[in-house]
Amino acid sequence: MPESQPRGPELDKRKAYILTTIVYEYIATAEPVGSATLTQKYNLGVSSATIRNEMAELEARGYLVQPHTSAGRIPSDTGYRTYVDRLMPAESLASEESDRLRTEFARAGRAIDEIVEQATRLLSQYSQNLAVVVAPSKDSQVFRHLQLIWLADRSVLMVVVTTAGVAEQHVIEPVVDVDPDELTRASNALNRRLSGTLLVQLDRGTVVDALATTEPPLHASLIDGIIAGFAHARRPEERRILFGGAQHLLDQPEFRDFKKLRSILDLVEEQRTLYNVVLDSIERGESTPSVRIGGELELEDMSECSLVAIPYRMGDRSLGVLAILGARRMPYGRMMALIAATADHLSQHLTDVELP
Amino acid sequence: MPESQPRGPELDKRKAYILTTIVYEYIATAEPVGSATLTQKYNLGVSSATIRNEMAELEARGYLVQPHTSAGRIPSDTGYRTYVDRLMPAESLASEESDRLRTEFARAGRAIDEIVEQATRLLSQYSQNLAVVVAPSKDSQVFRHLQLIWLADRSVLMVVVTTAGVAEQHVIEPVVDVDPDELTRASNALNRRLSGTLLVQLDRGTVVDALATTEPPLHASLIDGIIAGFAHARRPEERRILFGGAQHLLDQPEFRDFKKLRSILDLVEEQRTLYNVVLDSIERGESTPSVRIGGELELEDMSECSLVAIPYRMGDRSLGVLAILGARRMPYGRMMALIAATADHLSQHLTDVELP
DNA sequence: CGCTAGCAGTCTGGGAAAGTGAGTGCCAAG
DNA sequence: CTTGGCACTCACTTTCCCAGACTGCTAGCG
């Protein structure tokens, strides 16, 4: 006897259409949607009283909530979730907009940092929301070349270049004098044996092996320095997070409230929490945008926000994540299309600038 | 007949004391200061009526303003200016706080970017205001070492290392095949002749001269590539500006107003305007903090803000600027002491990590 | 001549009261 | 199942009023 069906099995066609319309209208207007508005603006073929009955049932099943007794309805997390997963028409970016994105990426130059900064700027600008970008960590990059440069008798500069075109430098201070020829031999040996290896794999054993045949053998303190240099170049613990477009938040009526604004800005400043959430969002490694709605973020004071995230790549290695953080009432279709296109262009551009 | 003295010649002792007290009190409470408050909280030895007369005169002379007829007074730009320049007691940072600053700088590592990011974080945290930091431009750095690395027959990676320990890379694609030996000879020649030169001085002529004696002569397209590489490493046009602690603005009652908040966040996003103002502030190259109060900033909607700025150095070269942007009602003494100490520690740390 | 006490006048900010209107739920009839 | 009608609810806005803070002015005092 299915008299009260909590979270019913399926929504019939009319209920689905009503939910779709309510989400759409609320996203557009930021005002709770009433039955009269629906019958006036959308062609439903039934009266507002009928809509009221349907809305009451959608609320009972958890898709809608009423801010207060005499207001219209707004979608709940479940309502948005259903909309995003099953009701929303798929959108894709207008081709001229996509072209503009590509053009603007091309203006960023070859340096990885620059490209990622440009991505942040573009994403916030086009989305009119807060853009959050996790920059590449070094450890997924491929070692290309190393140079040991003689600075003084007990001071050596080690420069590591990856195929991403990023150079990291590190000063080594061995406990014995070294001479330039010795450094050249070491550089050559390491380059011959290790070029093409992922940075993350360049641990102590690998380096010691690569230098085993060097004659005369290098002093242990120099080898230690080289190993430390690789460890430094790798630095997996340190991933920059970039932000852009915080001012757009002020345009949303839901953030006309200093407490909510403060929560978000604190999150931006703190970085770690947001970093975890963003990484969680794309853990599955899928290449479609992942969406987290309101309470799904599991963050205090963030029930009014949603996050759309997607990974980006260089070649076939996943490097980092793009994300849009905005009001829960966001145009999900457009945001997903936009972030997917941005990630595509970014991945493409990064792959293009990779060194041979 | 000096009957009405606009912006009178000097403030007598009592007026100066009253002005000082009003600025002090207003900074502490954010409430317009009335005559009764003054007599109660501060030992003035005269009645509130006398204070009222004095305040009326201070207002007539432009040091104070009244938000409305029945309110107390708040300082005008001129009032703050007088306070900062002549009335305020000089403050210096408590030595334990200064020590803490130094310790935290030490945790930043050797990379210039990292150190400057740390400075931004510390400055915003200690000042509880928005920190604005202009990062070093490349062109004031000293060329230390160059390496031309063979990637493929027509592809060469050029790595430039400065004494700041920053490496920049650039891909050169000459129109003829090159071989590794040729590259080594070119690298050696350039290093021998040019090491120690400012990057900004490495123009076409200098490079061509340095390579003039190379035998056999390098192909023109390779030389062009090297010149382009230096130009790229230099990139004077591109100076990063870092921000930190925007959320602290929300703590100030003067920014409980979305328009003002929006103005500031827009400024942060736009960067260029703020960059100019900050550079203006320290154009004189002095090493004491420069202060700009309210309207002196000459920025629309920024009349409620003040900016405290100071340059920082590496060795004896000025590299960039630290600044604090906050409410006009800020504790100037502390902010100036703090930013001076931060700049000192930053300059010291940068000088320490410079390569030999 | 400067200082003070007292007083009338002015303005803001907050809170109560009342009116407005959007929107609902329910019912009885089609 | 749908619909028109109706009573009811509740947030929001406007209006009004009052308390409080502070001033400027004046007259008197040392």
Side-chain angles (χ1 to χ4, degrees), chain A residues 339-350:
Chain A
I339 207 171
T342 310
D344 271 356
H345 289 315
L346 173 58
S347 298
Q348 189 60 51
H349 196 66
L350 285 172

Side-chain angles (χ1 to χ4, degrees), chain B residues 75-87:
Chain B
S76 66
D77 282 358
T78 312
Y80 280 117
R81 171 55 63 199
T82 309
Y83 175 77
V84 168
D85 287 348
R86 289 164 33 212
L87 303 177

Side-chain angles (χ1 to χ4, degrees), chain B residues 8-262:
Chain B
E10 274 295 329
L11 293 177
D12 63 46
K13 209 164 164 186
R14 192 168 71 186
K15 284 199 183 57
Y17 184 58
I18 291 174
L19 176 56
T20 307
T21 316
I22 289 175
V23 174
Y24 184 84
E25 181 73 11
Y26 182 60
I27 287 174
T29 64
E31 296 291 333
V33 183
S35 55
T37 315
L38 282 190
T39 47
Q40 279 157 33
K41 286 198 172 179
Y42 300 87
N43 189 15
L44 290 163
V46 290
S47 79
S48 65
T50 308
I51 305 296
R52 279 200 289 283
N53 290 330
E54 296 285 56
M55 284 164 84
E57 190 164 339
L58 282 168
E59 179 170 5
R61 292 219 233 159
Y63 295 101
L64 298 177
V65 294
Q66 228 175 344
H68 55 84
T69 335
S70 69
R73 259 81 172 199
I74 65 177
S76 66
D77 282 358
T78 312
Y80 280 117
R81 171 55 63 199
T82 309
Y83 175 77
V84 168
D85 287 348
R86 289 164 33 212
L87 303 177
M88 178 179 78
E91 274 185 58
S92 64
L93 224 51
S95 68
E96 61 262 32
E97 203 166 22
S98 179
D99 290 347
R100 238 183 323 139
L101 261 179
R102 193 200 330 279
T103 316
E104 305 219 46
F105 263 116
R107 290 174 40 198
R110 297 179 65 94
I112 274 209
D113 281 357
E114 240 177 90
I115 297 170
V116 175
E117 275 167 30
Q118 178 75 331
T120 311
R121 208 158 25 235
L122 292 175
L123 195 56
S124 68
Q125 193 178 312
Y126 279 72
S127 71
Q128 293 285 302
N129 266 310
L130 180 67
V132 182
V133 175
V134 179
S137 82
K138 305 278 159 59
D139 60 359
S140 66
Q141 299 190 11
V142 176
F143 170 60
R144 177 69 184 76
H145 189 94
L146 164 146
Q147 199 75 36
L148 295 168
I149 298 167
W150 187 90
L151 294 176
D153 274 340
R154 299 196 176 183
S155 182
V156 175
L157 180 67
M158 168 172 169
V159 177
V160 176
V161 178
T162 71
T163 58
V166 172
E168 287 288 330
Q169 63 286 324
H170 182 71
V171 176
I172 301 173
E173 288 169 340
V175 298
V176 295
D177 292 359
V178 292
D179 69 87
D181 288 347
E182 192 179 357
L183 295 178
T184 308
R185 279 197 304 277
S187 301
N188 290 344
L190 290 167
N191 286 330
R192 207 168 38 243
R193 305 282 290 272
L194 300 181
S195 187
T197 315
L198 284 178
L199 271 190
V200 71
Q201 296 169 332
L202 293 178
D203 52 13
R204 171 170 292 270
T206 317
V207 173
V208 170
D209 279 356
L211 290 172
T213 59
T214 317
E215 277 302 331
L218 298 182
H219 189 271
S221 66
L222 183 57
I223 298 183
D224 284 346
I226 293 172
I227 290 161
F230 278 123
H232 174 77
R234 189 154 61 226
R235 278 203 306 264
E237 69 280 8
E238 187 191 299
R239 299 192 72 163
R240 277 178 69 205
I241 305 193
L242 309 175
F243 296 92
Q247 81 276 28
H248 298 311
L249 295 176
L250 294 174
D251 294 336
Q252 301 304 333
E254 31 271 90
F255 298 121
R256 304 257 130 159
D257 167 353
F258 289 96
K259 266 199 64 186
K260 295 209 186 87
L261 209 51
R262 180 77 207 229

Side-chain angles (χ1 to χ4, degrees), chain A residues 24-337:
Chain A
Y24 184 85
E25 181 72 12
Y26 183 59
I27 287 175
T29 63
E31 295 292 331
V33 184
S35 55
T37 314
L38 282 191
T39 48
Q40 280 157 31
K41 286 198 172 179
Y42 300 88
N43 189 14
L44 291 162
V46 291
S47 79
S48 65
T50 308
I51 304 296
R52 278 201 289 283
N53 290 330
E54 294 285 57
M55 284 164 84
E57 190 165 339
L58 281 168
E59 179 170 5
R61 292 218 234 161
Y63 294 100
L64 298 176
V65 294
Q66 229 176 342
H68 56 85
T69 335
S70 69
R73 258 81 172 200
I74 66 176
S76 66
D77 282 358
T78 313
Y80 279 117
R81 172 54 64 198
T82 309
Y83 175 77
V84 168
D85 289 348
R86 290 160 37 210
L87 303 176
M88 177 180 78
E91 275 185 56
S92 64
L93 224 52
S95 68
E96 62 262 32
E97 204 166 20
S98 178
D99 290 348
R100 230 173 339 129
L101 260 179
R102 193 199 332 279
T103 315
E104 305 218 46
F105 263 115
R107 291 174 38 198
R110 296 180 64 95
I112 274 208
D113 282 356
E114 238 178 274
I115 296 169
V116 175
E117 275 167 29
Q118 176 76 329
T120 311
R121 210 160 20 237
L122 291 174
L123 195 56
S124 69
Q125 194 177 312
Y126 279 72
S127 72
Q128 293 285 301
N129 266 310
L130 180 67
V132 182
V133 175
V134 178
S137 83
K138 305 278 159 58
D139 61 358
S140 66
Q141 299 190 10
V142 176
F143 170 60
R144 176 70 183 77
H145 189 94
L146 166 147
Q147 199 75 35
L148 295 168
I149 298 167
W150 188 91
L151 294 177
D153 274 340
R154 299 196 177 182
S155 181
V156 176
L157 180 66
M158 168 172 168
V159 177
V160 176
V161 179
T162 70
T163 57
V166 172
E168 286 288 330
Q169 62 287 324
H170 181 72
V171 175
I172 301 173
E173 289 169 340
V175 298
V176 294
D177 293 359
V178 291
D179 70 87
D181 287 347
E182 193 179 356
L183 295 177
T184 308
R185 278 197 304 278
S187 300
N188 290 344
L190 289 167
N191 286 328
R192 207 168 37 244
R193 306 282 289 271
L194 301 181
S195 186
T197 315
L198 284 177
L199 271 190
V200 70
Q201 295 169 333
L202 293 177
D203 52 14
R204 171 169 290 270
T206 318
V207 173
V208 170
D209 278 358
L211 290 172
T213 59
T214 317
E215 277 301 333
L218 299 182
H219 191 271
S221 66
L222 183 57
I223 297 183
D224 284 346
I226 292 172
I227 289 162
F230 278 123
H232 173 77
R234 188 154 64 225
R235 279 204 305 265
E237 70 282 4
E238 187 190 299
R239 299 192 73 164
R240 277 179 67 206
I241 305 194
L242 310 175
F243 297 91
Q247 81 276 28
H248 297 311
L249 294 175
L250 294 174
D251 294 335
Q252 301 304 332
E254 31 270 269
F255 299 121
R256 305 257 131 160
D257 167 352
F258 290 96
K259 266 200 63 185
K260 295 209 186 86
L261 210 52
R262 179 78 207 230
S263 312
I264 297 192
L265 292 185
D266 280 345
L267 213 60
V268 165
E269 201 69 16
E270 203 222 335
Q271 303 216 348
R272 182 157 305 278
T273 317
L274 205 46
Y275 172 70
N276 291 331
V277 172
V278 171
L279 281 203
D280 265 20
S281 289
I282 52 88
E283 217 162 36
R284 313 159 312 184
E286 289 180 16
S287 62
T288 51
S290 123
V291 179
R292 291 205 165 196
I293 297 164
E296 298 173 5
L297 283 169
E298 293 175 3
L299 289 180
E300 191 117 18
D301 301 320
M302 289 285 132
S303 53
E304 291 293 322
C305 297
S306 283
L307 182 94
V308 181
I310 194 168
Y312 62 87
R313 291 164 293 103
M314 171 181 258
D316 49 7
R317 300 186 310 286
S318 174
L319 286 199
V321 185
L322 301 181
I324 295 171
L325 181 61
R328 190 173 64 157
R329 184 186 59 76
M330 65 164 65
Y332 290 94
R334 171 164 165 80
M335 291 300 116
M336 291 167 74

